[in-house]
Amino acid sequence: MLNRQRLLNTLQSAAILAAMALLLGALGWLIGGSDGAVIALIGGLVLVFMNPTVAPKLILRMYRAQRLGFSQAPRLMTAVGVLSKRAGLSRAPEIYYLPSPVMNAFALGTREHSAIALSDGMLRNMTLRELIGVLGHEISHVRNNDTWVMGLADLFSRMTGFLANFGLILVFINLPLMWFSGQMISWWTIALLIFAPTLSALLQLALSRTREYDADAGSAQITGDPRALSSALGKMEHIQGRILERLFMPGRGVPEPSILRTHPPTAERIRRLAELESEMMSARALEPVASISDHQRVDWPELSGSHSNPRWRITGLWW
């Protein structure tokens, strides 16, 4: 079941990336014919290999994150080492404390140089077992090079938007000449130029959801405890969803996730993890990193800025 699910997720990711590349090539063909399609695709590949990787420390510094040492969280840091070894990483990710009450965790960097940020809200509300499930998810992202994959998708999406805008500008510039010469532009061409960026963005979101499923399966594999992550997901849905309901929909339920979400529906993620748990109970390859007795919350040391709220910055980011 686990291998079949991971294979399906990989095939879906490859298909989505191929669709984004084809969309980019189609725009190049509309603007410059066959030569334009080739130039667009080659240009995209060149930019992929030339695209610099931002060091995780620089990004985390922007968030005012603080690196956690072994003395601050010995059991957690020990678990990170075990999970990294099981995931086949040559170097364990550095763990950072994010001074935000929002329950959040994310991974940055490459397999060789990576970091994982855990928010104050995550550390204060999760048990050790649940945190290990979350760490397994993020370490799986690092192992699968999801940062690079999503960077590639983002590059395709940005190039698609640039070519679509360039094509629309050319249409408006040449519109008087086409009108007097009697030439007509296909409405399908206009529609593709207008909606191509939106289609590319939706494909990018679909890819993100697929990679999340794959990371969930990876967490179940390297932790040996699918229920740890499913418990963490349920708690995040309950706490975060309750906050969103109070803010935006008082007296009503939070709407179901749609194609505009970056993450899959929590209920579906928990269902898949339950299936993996049933499979692993009959043939467990690895012992759980955290025992079932690890249900208590960890007493974390007070760190500076632990109660600072995220604010919107001119860059468009909240931190």
Side-chain angles (χ1 to χ4, degrees):
M1 173 68 182
L2 178 61
N3 292 331
R4 181 171 62 86
Q5 187 177 113
R6 293 188 63 185
L7 177 60
L8 179 61
N9 292 339
T10 301
L11 292 176
Q12 288 177 340
S13 297
I16 292 171
L17 283 174
M20 296 183 74
L22 287 174
L23 183 59
L24 179 63
L27 286 178
W29 179 79
L30 283 177
I31 296 173
S34 57
D35 292 339
V38 173
I39 292 173
L41 292 176
I42 293 178
L45 291 176
V46 170
L47 288 176
V48 166
F49 291 106
M50 292 179 60
N51 189 30
T53 301
V54 180
K57 290 183 179 179
L58 295 178
I59 299 176
L60 292 168
R61 188 180 304 168
M62 180 182 67
Y63 282 87
R64 294 191 178 92
Q66 305 170 46
R67 184 178 176 182
L68 287 178
F70 187 86
S71 60
Q72 295 168 301
R75 299 177 70 188
L76 191 66
M77 301 304 290
T78 300
V80 170
V82 174
L83 293 173
S84 300
K85 186 176 180 179
R86 290 184 176 184
L89 299 180
S90 59
R91 184 176 179 181
E94 297 178 342
I95 305 301
Y96 282 80
Y97 168 85
L98 188 65
S100 170
V102 178
M103 296 178 67
N104 190 23
F106 57 87
L108 298 166
T110 63
R111 291 171 63 96
E112 292 75 25
H113 301 282
S114 60
I116 295 175
L118 297 172
S119 71
D120 184 79
M122 182 75 72
L123 294 174
R124 304 290 176 183
N125 290 283
M126 294 290 176
T127 65
L128 176 62
R129 183 185 182 191
E130 292 166 340
L131 284 173
I132 290 175
V134 172
L135 285 170
H137 175 93
E138 300 303 332
I139 288 175
S140 295
H141 275 311
V142 174
R143 178 183 63 179
N144 298 337
N145 285 319
D146 283 339
T147 302
W148 182 85
V149 172
M150 293 309 300
L152 175 61
D154 182 66
L155 185 61
F156 279 155
S157 185
R158 290 176 184 272
M159 289 189 64
T160 299
F162 172 78
L163 288 180
N165 291 331
F166 182 70
L168 287 173
I169 291 173
L170 288 180
V171 168
F172 282 112
I173 290 177
N174 294 305
L175 192 59
L177 296 176
M178 296 177 182
W179 180 269
F180 288 111
S181 63
Q183 296 181 357
M184 296 297 295
I185 304 176
S186 171
W187 285 107
W188 291 108
T189 301
I190 300 295
L192 182 58
L193 290 172
I194 292 175
F195 293 108
T198 301
L199 292 175
S200 184
L202 291 176
L203 288 171
Q204 186 177 354
L205 292 174
L207 178 63
S208 176
R209 293 191 294 270
T210 300
R211 304 315 299 165
E212 290 299 317
Y213 281 134
D214 208 19
D216 286 349
S219 176
Q221 181 186 46
I222 64 177
T223 62
D225 186 13
R227 188 174 295 184
L229 179 59
S230 63
S231 176
L233 291 173
K235 184 176 290 186
M236 290 179 66
E237 179 80 1
H238 174 70
I239 296 177
Q240 304 285 68
R242 191 171 53 192
I243 294 174
L244 291 175
E245 185 175 346
R246 285 201 305 264
L247 289 176
F248 301 111
M249 303 184 67
R252 299 175 58 188
V254 178
E256 288 294 320
S258 66
I259 60 174
L260 299 178
R261 298 293 181 93
T262 58
H263 286 58
T266 300
E268 176 62 18
R269 296 173 69 181
I270 292 176
R271 185 191 67 80
R272 294 192 182 200
L273 287 168
E275 292 181 355
L276 292 178
E277 183 180 15
S278 300
E279 177 188 357
M280 295 174 68
M281 285 180 63
S282 59
R284 189 186 301 277
L286 295 171
E287 289 298 319
V289 176
S291 65
I292 296 179
S293 61
D294 291 324
H295 60 275
Q296 74 278 7
R297 292 186 176 87
V298 182
D299 293 328
W300 304 101
E302 288 296 331
L303 298 172
S304 60
S306 61
H307 298 290
S308 62
N309 294 319
R311 292 185 296 151
W312 186 85
R313 310 288 172 147
I314 195 171
T315 58
L317 298 175
W318 282 86
W319 51 275

